Amino acid sequence: YVCSTWGNNHFKTFDGDIYQFPGICEYNFVSDCRDSYMEFSVHIQRALNSNNHPEIQYILIKIKDITVYLKPKLAVVDGRIVKTPYYSSGVLIESNDIYTKIYAKLGMVLMWNQQDALMVELDNKFNNHTCGLCGDYNGIPIYNEFIKGDASYNSITYGNLQKISKPGARCEDPDETQALPSCNEHRDECESLLTSSAFADCRFRLNLETYIQACMQDKCACNGNEDSFCLCSTISEYSRQCSHAGGRPGEWRTQQFC
């Protein structure tokens, strides 16, 4: 029931597909896409920060008739800055120095670390009714996201289809012909990090291989630099997803690492 995005432009759909999409426009992250009445929508925009790492700049959420705009350390509801915790018409917003969380009575929980990582949990009454970067929530990986009828999409084409067209927006679509490098030389390092004893309780709760692949892509993108963003963001996500699945990750951060 969880869709997330983190780190170096990684996305995990409700149906479990993990892909990379480096777009810097505003995109439909997840929306209720029934024709009759759209109960909610979540849009996100990323940009590169001063270290050249992608971060989520803002999140725009509509829940029934309420509009919530989130930036780090800032929540705006229907155009007014609000203090948290804030509650109105079935929407609760909480925030501290590390996370902003939104609980919506219609069946959505949103959690943002105010930097790179966003997680949305959705009631299964929305099965088959969503669209956006999180996919259609039909329980079948690949189908209708990356394979539609006879057409098959790569992740960049799929991501570009989710762009919100805004007049005057200046942002380039990522190039659909650019394939991501295979990064097998980093496999051993990533595997040993993600199978360390701290994650013993996580191994059977999550698909380990998908996180190893994401970690390998991070290492490639950083050209082997010992940059904490390249290493820590996927491991943090693995830890968050493990907790969310009922696991108990041990203490994996140290003074020297992440």
Side-chain angles (χ1 to χ4, degrees):
Y1 306 142
V2 174
C3 168
S4 60
T5 181
W6 73 93
N8 193 19
N9 303 303
H10 297 291
F11 290 84
K12 174 181 166 289
T13 69
F14 287 114
D15 300 333
D17 290 309
I18 290 191
Y19 65 95
Q20 258 183 312
F21 174 65
I24 52 167
C25 305
E26 184 180 304
Y27 300 95
N28 173 12
F29 184 63
V30 56
S31 300
D32 172 9
C33 288
R34 288 173 287 191
D35 293 338
S36 48
Y37 175 66
M38 200 171 173
E39 288 204 47
F40 73 91
S41 66
V42 179
H43 294 177
I44 62 170
Q45 170 134 19
R46 270 197 169 84
L48 295 176
N49 65 16
S50 52
N51 298 325
N52 235 10
H53 296 318
E55 273 191 357
I56 298 172
Q57 274 198 309
Y58 66 79
I59 303 172
L60 184 61
I61 303 143
K62 284 196 173 138
I63 298 169
K64 305 232 164 147
D65 304 319
I66 295 181
T67 301
V68 181
Y69 176 75
L70 298 180
K71 288 188 86 154
K73 316 256 186 288
L74 179 72
V76 179
V77 177
D78 291 337
R80 288 197 344 263
I81 294 178
V82 297
K83 278 202 172 82
T84 57
Y86 171 88
Y87 182 79
S88 169
S89 341
V91 177
L92 170 66
I93 307 174
E94 295 180 341
S95 67
N96 57 28
D97 288 345
I98 306 168
Y99 281 101
T100 300
K101 284 187 184 179
I102 294 185
Y103 300 87
K105 207 156 140 194
L106 57 76
M108 179 175 83
V109 181
L110 178 147
M111 188 162 107
W112 178 34
N113 70 350
Q114 301 178 15
Q115 295 170 349
D116 65 303
L118 169 66
M119 191 189 285
V120 172
E121 184 179 1
L122 215 49
D123 192 285
N124 59 10
K125 72 178 183 192
F126 292 108
N127 282 144
N128 243 335
H129 295 320
T130 65
C131 60
L133 293 165
C134 287
D136 60 6
Y137 198 10
N138 70 353
I140 311 168
I142 298 184
Y143 271 86
N144 298 348
E145 284 91 30
F146 302 104
I147 296 177
K148 235 186 195 136
D150 295 334
S152 67
Y153 295 123
N154 70 24
S155 62
I156 309 282
T157 310
Y158 180 71
N160 285 337
L161 288 169
Q162 316 308 323
K163 182 161 90 169
I164 306 297
S165 48
K166 293 161 65 184
R170 287 189 192 159
C171 62
E172 291 286 311
D173 285 347
D175 180 357
E176 295 175 9
T177 58
Q178 272 193 315
L180 290 163
S182 88
C183 301
N184 281 330
E185 68 270 25
H186 300 297
R187 169 172 279 283
D188 291 351
E189 181 183 7
C190 287
E191 198 166 335
S192 70
L193 286 167
L194 289 161
T195 53
S196 74
S197 56
F199 294 124
D201 195 24
C202 304
R203 194 146 184 191
F204 301 106
R205 297 174 191 274
L206 302 172
N207 179 342
L208 176 65
E209 178 60 27
T210 50
Y211 294 95
I212 291 174
Q213 292 289 337
C215 167
M216 282 156 52
Q217 287 168 344
D218 292 349
K219 289 293 287 179
C220 265
C222 286
N223 300 325
N225 295 342
E226 285 308 313
D227 181 325
S228 68
F229 179 84
C230 308
L231 213 48
C232 303
S233 55
T234 289
I235 298 171
S236 305
E237 177 67 9
Y238 186 67
S239 180
R240 278 190 292 267
Q241 292 283 352
C242 174
S243 305
H244 194 274
R248 294 203 155 175
E251 194 49 69
W252 58 275
R253 295 176 186 274
T254 67
Q255 285 289 301
Q256 290 74 42
F257 185 72
C258 299

